[in-house]
Amino acid sequence: MHGFQLRVAYQGVPGAYSEAAAGKAYPNCEAIPCDQFEVAFKAVELWIADRAVLPVENSLGGSIHRNYDLLLRHRLHIVGEVQLPVHHCLLALPGVRKEYLSRVISHPQALAQCEHTLTKLGLNVTREAVDDTAGAAEYIATNNLRDTAAIASARAADLYGLQILADGIQDDSSNVTRFVMLAREPIIPRTDRPFKTSIVFAHDKGTSVLFKVLSAFAFRNISLTKIESRPHRNRTIRLVDDANVGTAKHFEYMFYVDFEASMAEVRAQNALAEVQEFTSFLRVLGSYPMDMTPWCPSRGDHQVP
Ligand SMILES: O=C(O)C(=O)C[C@]1(C(=O)O)C=C[C@@H](O)C=C1
């Protein structure tokens, strides 16, 4: 960026996996902690940050629906993705033993990703959700809680002076979270490297639209990497159109699809032209380079050396 340091908003406090994802997406960036996902969206909209890096899906816990809803409500563009291996540790104050614990706190996704391992460890604990993993570690340190452990990264242990009681407690060693990078402007799609495109669509009447939309991709040999439906029965959603005008609309379901093609490719443009004919609402969330970095399931970014 020619000496310009990119400011990247993420949800959580230092030591959160989202901070690590921001660093992976934009090495040497200035990572800006935000207490809620929506604050990260707003930070970019208000020019406090240049990008936001937000989790959208975990290999164990599934989709992070809140961010899909926020993508619809805000007018930011997906400009990239990063896959981050997530390696969880059980952290407590120095000197605390597992037998003393009565509570484990963490981000709901992290609790879900360690559900079986926590049971296998034989801990007699209640599980409580907090805003982020590193925030859980910070809370224990600040309040000197000797009966509580956090599920968080090894970096969070370092930052908040906690010890690691158990290492690699995620239920699956190949636990990985996919993050998207968001910006105010879309990037120009290219064809010189593998691209992915994310769209969201809905139809006023019924759900048969799904079959027609999927066939538009199938006939052009475009692979889908994700399909997600979000029920919106009895709920309206605030949509923002190309003129940045917000309207409240009611759809029974919203469908999110990621496909492996760039919007610079004619076959992708034709597929979307067809999709537009079948749907009442269609938005391209972004067309961006795929994260192709291979990762090793047995050792995550957050392991103790
Ligand atoms: O709490 C954190 O550390 C986060 O970055 C959030 C988050 C998530 O929202 O899924 C990110 C990655 C892990 O899957 C667990 C938690």
Side-chain angles (χ1 to χ4, degrees), residues 24-46:
K24 185 175 177 188
Y26 300 106
N28 306 319
C29 70
E30 181 196 342
I32 301 176
C34 300
D35 57 0
Q36 300 294 329
F37 289 136
E38 186 146 32
V39 178
F41 275 83
K42 286 195 177 140
V44 179
E45 285 169 338
L46 298 173

Side-chain angles (χ1 to χ4, degrees), residues 37-38 41 65-74:
F37 289 136
E38 186 146 32
F41 275 83
H65 294 127
R66 175 86 185 126
N67 280 333
Y68 279 98
D69 292 346
L70 287 169
L71 278 169
L72 263 188
R73 283 206 223 124
H74 294 264

Side-chain angles (χ1 to χ4, degrees), residues 58-271:
N58 173 265
S59 54
L60 279 162
S63 289
I64 294 147
H65 294 127
R66 175 86 185 126
N67 280 333
Y68 279 98
D69 292 346
L70 287 169
L71 278 169
L72 263 188
R73 283 206 223 124
H74 294 264
R75 194 75 221 167
L76 297 182
H77 303 267
I78 304 179
V79 294
E81 64 169 3
V82 274
Q83 314 254 21
L84 187 82
V86 172
H87 184 96
H88 291 302
C89 302
L90 189 69
L91 311 180
L93 284 169
V96 167
R97 291 179 22 197
K98 280 187 212 145
E99 308 82 82
Y100 304 162
L101 298 174
S102 62
R103 184 165 69 144
V104 172
I105 58 174
S106 196
H107 186 280
Q109 275 277 340
L111 288 168
Q113 291 160 24
C114 303
E115 198 180 325
H116 299 301
T117 313
L118 283 183
T119 309
K120 273 194 249 154
L121 283 171
L123 301 174
N124 188 18
V125 289
T126 56
R127 299 159 198 209
E128 276 176 38
V130 294
D131 280 347
D132 73 299
T133 56
E138 186 186 31
Y139 181 73
I140 290 172
T142 313
N143 295 289
N144 197 30
L145 301 174
R146 302 195 69 79
D147 63 343
T148 307
I151 297 173
S153 63
R155 179 168 140 76
D158 276 355
L159 285 175
Y160 304 108
L162 301 185
Q163 61 163 338
I164 297 174
L165 286 178
D167 192 356
I169 59 163
Q170 62 281 0
D171 292 341
D172 178 356
S173 61
S174 53
N175 187 29
V176 63
T177 299
R178 176 175 168 246
F179 292 78
V180 289
M181 290 108 90
L182 303 176
R184 287 178 293 274
E185 298 297 331
I187 53 163
I188 297 168
R190 299 200 313 256
T191 52
D192 57 348
R193 56 170 295 184
F195 260 60
K196 203 184 254 185
T197 301
S198 298
I199 59 167
V200 52
F201 60 89
H203 194 56
D204 288 335
K205 293 167 216 79
T207 54
S208 65
V209 64
L210 190 55
F211 174 78
K212 295 181 192 163
V213 168
L214 297 190
S215 66
F217 294 105
F219 286 131
R220 293 174 177 86
N221 281 326
I222 299 176
S223 303
L224 305 186
T225 53
K226 182 179 174 74
I227 171 152
E228 172 82 31
S229 73
R230 292 278 292 135
H232 273 271
R233 217 180 293 263
N234 303 328
R235 274 192 292 162
T236 51
I237 192 147
R238 196 178 152 266
L239 304 173
V240 183
D241 66 15
D242 286 334
N244 216 5
V245 176
T247 45
K249 275 219 168 198
H250 171 258
F251 294 110
E252 218 170 338
Y253 286 95
M254 303 298 297
F255 297 105
Y256 294 81
V257 165
D258 290 347
F259 59 87
E260 281 183 354
S262 162
M263 281 312 293
E265 291 175 61
V266 174
R267 60 183 186 138
Q269 292 160 10
N270 289 343

